[in-house]
Protein backbone atom coordinates (compact mmCIF):
# COMPACT_ATOMS: atom_id res chain seq x y z
CA UNK A 1 0.00 0.00 0.00
CA UNK A 2 1.29 3.46 -0.82
CA UNK A 3 2.37 5.75 2.00
CA UNK A 4 -0.58 7.71 3.29
CA UNK A 5 -3.08 5.20 1.86
CA UNK A 6 -6.06 3.94 3.75
CA UNK A 7 -6.03 0.36 4.98
CA UNK A 8 -9.08 -1.47 6.22
CA UNK A 9 -9.56 -4.94 7.59
CA UNK A 10 -13.07 -6.34 7.69
CA UNK A 11 -14.29 -9.49 9.42
CA UNK A 12 -17.41 -11.29 8.21
CA UNK A 13 -18.40 -14.55 9.76
CA UNK A 14 -14.93 -15.01 11.20
CA UNK A 15 -13.23 -14.41 7.84
CA UNK A 16 -10.95 -11.38 7.56
CA UNK A 17 -10.71 -9.40 4.33
CA UNK A 18 -7.91 -6.88 3.86
CA UNK A 19 -8.98 -3.92 1.78
CA UNK A 20 -6.31 -1.40 0.88
CA UNK A 21 -6.61 2.05 -0.57
CA UNK A 22 -9.51 4.12 -1.79
CA UNK A 23 -11.01 3.98 -5.29
CA UNK A 24 -8.96 6.97 -6.43
CA UNK A 25 -5.63 5.71 -5.05
CA UNK A 26 -4.27 4.51 -8.37
CA UNK A 27 -4.73 1.60 -10.75
CA UNK A 28 -6.56 -1.43 -9.39
CA UNK A 29 -8.44 -4.40 -10.82
CA UNK A 30 -11.63 -4.25 -8.76
CA UNK A 31 -13.51 -2.10 -6.25
CA UNK A 32 -15.51 -3.56 -3.37
CA UNK A 33 -19.17 -2.52 -3.47
CA UNK A 34 -20.78 -4.65 -0.78
CA UNK A 35 -21.60 -8.15 0.38
CA UNK A 36 -24.16 -10.88 -0.15
CA UNK A 37 -24.76 -14.42 1.09
CA UNK A 38 -25.30 -17.56 -0.91
CA UNK A 39 -27.59 -20.36 0.19
CA UNK A 40 -26.55 -23.09 2.58
CA UNK A 41 -26.96 -25.62 -0.24
CA UNK A 42 -24.31 -23.91 -2.43
CA UNK A 43 -20.91 -25.62 -2.31
CA UNK A 44 -17.70 -23.57 -2.37
CA UNK A 45 -16.92 -24.94 -5.84
CA UNK A 46 -20.33 -23.79 -7.11
CA UNK A 47 -20.02 -20.47 -5.27
CA UNK A 48 -16.98 -19.53 -7.32
CA UNK A 49 -19.18 -19.47 -10.43
CA UNK A 50 -22.53 -18.45 -8.90
CA UNK A 51 -21.23 -15.55 -6.81
CA UNK A 52 -20.65 -13.13 -9.73
CA UNK A 53 -24.27 -13.62 -10.83
CA UNK A 54 -25.57 -13.18 -7.27
CA UNK A 55 -23.53 -10.02 -6.80
CA UNK A 56 -24.71 -8.64 -10.14
CA UNK A 57 -28.29 -9.17 -9.03
CA UNK A 58 -28.07 -8.11 -5.37
CA UNK A 59 -25.24 -5.52 -5.39
CA UNK A 60 -25.52 -4.25 -8.94
CA UNK A 61 -22.65 -2.02 -10.16
CA UNK A 62 -25.25 0.01 -12.08
CA UNK A 63 -26.80 1.02 -8.75
CA UNK A 64 -23.45 2.64 -7.91
CA UNK A 65 -23.22 4.58 -11.18
CA UNK A 66 -21.08 2.12 -13.16
CA UNK A 67 -22.05 1.90 -16.85
CA UNK A 68 -23.19 -1.70 -17.53
CA UNK A 69 -21.71 -1.55 -21.04
CA UNK A 70 -18.22 -1.06 -19.52
CA UNK A 71 -18.33 -2.67 -16.04
CA UNK A 72 -19.46 -6.00 -14.67
CA UNK A 73 -20.03 -7.52 -11.25
CA UNK A 74 -17.24 -9.55 -9.70
CA UNK A 75 -16.86 -11.36 -6.41
CA UNK A 76 -14.51 -12.96 -3.93
CA UNK A 77 -15.31 -16.15 -2.08
CA UNK A 78 -13.43 -17.58 0.86
CA UNK A 79 -13.04 -21.12 2.10
CA UNK A 80 -13.43 -19.86 5.67
CA UNK A 81 -16.88 -18.49 4.95
CA UNK A 82 -17.97 -21.94 3.76
CA UNK A 83 -16.32 -23.77 6.64
CA UNK A 84 -18.15 -21.66 9.21
CA UNK A 85 -21.45 -21.81 7.30
CA UNK A 86 -21.98 -18.08 6.74
CA UNK A 87 -21.49 -18.24 2.94
CA UNK A 88 -20.62 -14.53 2.72
CA UNK A 89 -19.41 -13.24 -0.65
CA UNK A 90 -17.58 -9.96 -1.23
CA UNK A 91 -19.16 -8.17 -4.22
CA UNK A 92 -16.96 -6.09 -6.49
CA UNK A 93 -17.05 -4.21 -9.78
CA UNK A 94 -14.47 -4.60 -12.55
CA UNK A 95 -14.06 -3.63 -16.18
CA UNK A 96 -15.51 -6.09 -18.70
CA UNK A 97 -12.35 -5.87 -20.81
CA UNK A 98 -10.13 -6.79 -17.85
CA UNK A 99 -8.50 -3.35 -17.81
CA UNK A 100 -7.45 -1.56 -14.65
CA UNK A 101 -9.58 0.99 -12.87
CA UNK A 102 -8.45 4.20 -11.24
CA UNK A 103 -9.54 7.78 -11.55
CA UNK A 104 -12.68 8.78 -13.41
CA UNK A 105 -14.82 5.87 -12.18
CA UNK A 106 -17.97 6.67 -10.21
Amino acid sequence: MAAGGLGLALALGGVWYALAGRPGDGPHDEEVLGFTRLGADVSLADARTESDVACGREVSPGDYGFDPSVYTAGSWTSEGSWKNGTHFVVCTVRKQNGGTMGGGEP
Side-chain angles (χ1 to χ4, degrees), residues 23 26-31 66 71 93-95 99-103 105:
H28 48 279
D29 295 328
E30 299 177 82
E31 290 182 16
F66 290 94
Y71 299 93
V93 60
R94 61 181 178 229
K95 286 195 170 179
T100 57
M101 301 171 70
E105 275 89 17

Side-chain angles (χ1 to χ4, degrees), residues 89-100:
V89 175
V90 178
C91 296
T92 66
V93 60
R94 61 181 178 229
K95 286 195 170 179
Q96 290 182 20
N97 67 6
T100 57

Side-chain angles (χ1 to χ4, degrees), residues 65-99:
F66 290 94
D67 181 345
S69 69
V70 177
Y71 299 93
T72 189
S75 61
W76 302 338
T77 55
S78 166
E79 185 176 325
S81 184
W82 260 254
K83 284 184 176 180
N84 68 23
T86 59
H87 292 204
F88 277 114
V89 175
V90 178
C91 296
T92 66
V93 60
R94 61 181 178 229
K95 286 195 170 179
Q96 290 182 20
N97 67 6

